């Protein structure tokens, strides 16, 4: 009877270990985010990942003051920036469009997306994703 309990405990430990490993795999799958999917899609469509591409980034903001802060910070980081009012979004009535030529590297695009998300949140806004400027490969991605 004592061996039965020992085998039962070993079986339970193996089951828990398998669950933990499955959860770790699932966590790694979540890292396959929109940025990496769009970069991969653009590469498959024939875009040269080693040649800088014009990428368009979008941020929605609640006030003109927030727009000014975001435009200033992005301009100092080499982005070409413009903004406009958006009538159909009462909570985020301003949109900032930032453009920058960069290589289609997942790590670089993720870094820019993370920076824009943080900047948008600091100003009470939201980061709305990015798109490639090439008409044939352009796909706006929401987060």
């Amino acid at each position: 009877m004592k061996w039965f309990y020992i085998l039962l405990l070993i079986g339970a430990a193996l089951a828990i270990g398998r669950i933990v490993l499955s959860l770790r795999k699932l966590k790694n799958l979540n890292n396959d985010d929109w940025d990496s999917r769009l970069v991969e899609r653009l590469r498959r469509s024939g875009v040269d990942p080693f040649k800088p591409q014009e990428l368009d980034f979008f941020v929605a903001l609640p006030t003109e003051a927030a727009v000014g802060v975001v435009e200033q910070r992005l301009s100092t980081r080499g982005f070409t920036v413009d903004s406009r009012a958006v009538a159909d979004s009462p909570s985020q009535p301003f949109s900032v469009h930032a453009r920058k030529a960069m290589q289609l590297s997942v790590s670089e695009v993720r870094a820019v997306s993370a920076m824009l998300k943080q900047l948008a949140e600091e100003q009470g806004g939201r980061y709305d994703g990015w798109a490639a400027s090439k008409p044939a490969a352009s796909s706006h991605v929401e987060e």
Side-chain angles (χ1 to χ4, degrees), residues 15-125:
I16 290 172
R18 186 172 181 146
I19 290 170
V20 169
L21 288 175
S22 295
L23 290 175
R24 285 187 182 169
K25 278 185 185 178
L26 184 61
K27 180 182 174 189
N28 289 337
L29 286 177
N30 288 337
N31 288 336
D32 184 24
D33 59 351
W34 287 109
D35 293 331
S36 61
R37 289 181 197 166
L38 184 53
V39 167
E40 182 59 33
R41 190 177 324 141
L42 290 168
R43 287 179 178 177
R44 281 194 310 255
S45 72
V47 174
D48 182 358
F50 301 107
K51 181 181 173 191
Q53 304 294 320
E54 286 288 329
L55 300 182
D56 298 301
F57 299 89
F58 304 94
V59 178
L61 295 164
T63 65
E64 286 187 64
V67 169
V69 170
V70 170
E71 284 181 337
Q72 188 273 329
R73 288 193 190 167
L74 294 178
S75 293
T76 61
R77 292 182 176 162
F79 288 86
T80 302
V81 185
D82 64 85
S83 61
R84 65 183 178 96
V86 181
D88 63 343
S89 179
S91 65
Q92 305 288 330
F94 298 96
S95 178
V96 173
H97 166 232
R99 177 177 279 182
K100 186 173 187 177
M102 54 190 293
Q103 289 184 340
L104 279 177
S105 159
V106 173
S107 61
E108 286 183 39
V109 173
R110 276 186 184 160
V112 172
S113 289
M115 180 269 297
L116 288 170
K117 185 175 182 180
Q118 179 182 356
L119 182 58
E121 288 173 356
E122 287 172 5
Q123 299 303 316

